[in-house]
Amino acid sequence: MRTLILAGGSGGLGSAVARLASERGFKPVIGYLRNKDRAEALAAELSVPTVAGDIAEPAVRERLIQAARNAGELYGLAVLSGDPARVPIEKASMEDLLASTRVNFAGPVLMARDFVAALGDEDGSIVFTSTMQGVGVFAGSTVYGAPKAALVHTARILAKQWKARVNVVAPGVNNAGMAEQSVQSGKYDSYLERKIIPRFGKPQDVARAILFLLEPDNYVTGQVLTVDG
């Protein structure tokens, strides 16, 4: 059975990806940072392994890869971890910028690098999760959007450089994950009122896009699929 490493796989978006991946015959490995109870509940539901820790740490990346190897045939990686980094650039410190870069760019890229090294010459697929703020220009989004935009550009480079397919999914306003709090506060209601979008996104919308790009022998690489309605 092909395995999928899901870094950040226990949250709102990650759990939707994990469930759909299981339905389609993959064996997910659930990586999580802090919420042990949530991750273990999902793992028990799907009968899959979990690995705790920050993917910016080499030992955590190694444990995720080893768990995937133990569970089946190493095949896919989806990085769903991230941080909204809502501090405005006018108030941001060096620490704020570095923290966002670590979580939203460096950790995902290093996870992909180590995964590809472990994959060798076998068929494989990587999907990074960016954001609409990483492909469009949104005032006030520098600290979050810039590392996510760097992730998009890096994916295009790596798609040319590696045998494994490398793609990006960029969710729009989604009623799950990091955007859920903003949606519930009414911050994005004007998008509906002005009929810019027909509805807010659901986790399953993003999950379907990710699983499309993770399909074995897919002929798509170096692309950004924006799931924003």
Side-chain angles (χ1 to χ4, degrees):
M1 179 178 289
R2 290 184 173 94
T3 59
L4 297 179
I5 297 172
L6 303 181
S10 66
L13 293 178
S15 60
V17 175
R19 291 186 176 101
L20 186 58
S22 293
E23 290 175 11
R24 296 191 180 180
F26 293 103
K27 188 80 166 182
V29 175
I30 309 298
Y32 70 97
L33 185 58
R34 297 186 187 90
N35 198 326
K36 181 179 180 181
D37 291 344
R38 182 177 66 183
E40 291 189 345
L42 178 64
E45 173 191 335
L46 301 178
S47 299
V48 298
T50 63
V51 174
D54 181 357
I55 58 170
E57 298 294 334
V60 175
R61 301 195 297 269
E62 184 178 345
R63 289 200 298 271
L64 281 164
I65 291 167
Q66 190 57 54
R69 279 177 161 159
N70 292 342
E73 177 189 349
L74 187 65
Y75 169 73
L77 166 67
V79 183
L80 301 122
S81 53
D83 186 276
R86 291 190 172 96
V87 60
I89 189 61
E90 291 81 4
K91 297 180 179 179
S93 65
M94 176 66 79
E95 288 73 22
D96 292 326
L97 291 168
L98 291 176
S100 180
T101 300
R102 175 189 174 99
V103 174
N104 293 311
F105 174 73
V109 171
L110 291 171
M111 182 72 241
R113 181 200 65 184
D114 291 359
F115 169 78
V116 162
L119 192 64
D121 291 330
E122 298 302 316
D123 179 48
S125 181
I126 297 166
V127 178
F128 291 121
T129 307
S130 182
T131 169
M132 62 179 182
Q133 296 176 45
V135 296
V137 178
F138 290 78
S141 68
T142 298
V143 180
Y144 177 56
K148 287 292 194 177
L151 191 63
V152 169
H153 191 68
T154 299
R156 290 176 171 141
I157 294 170
L158 298 178
K160 288 181 174 289
Q161 188 169 327
W162 291 344
K163 179 180 177 180
R165 297 177 301 284
V166 185
N167 292 288
V168 181
V169 167
V173 181
N174 199 285
N175 201 8
M178 288 183 287
E180 185 174 13
Q181 182 179 348
S182 295
V183 170
Q184 292 176 353
S185 73
K187 177 180 178 180
Y188 295 118
D189 285 354
S190 64
Y191 284 75
L192 295 177
E193 293 162 0
R194 289 182 288 158
K195 302 187 185 304
I196 294 171
I197 55 175
R199 59 173 173 81
F200 294 131
K202 298 179 291 187
Q204 292 79 10
D205 297 320
V206 181
R208 286 194 294 268
I210 290 173
L211 265 295
F212 161 68
L213 294 171
L214 287 170
E215 287 178 354
D217 197 32
N218 198 312
Y219 201 51
V220 178
T221 193
Q223 302 302 309
V224 183
L225 181 51
T226 304
V227 186
D228 66 353

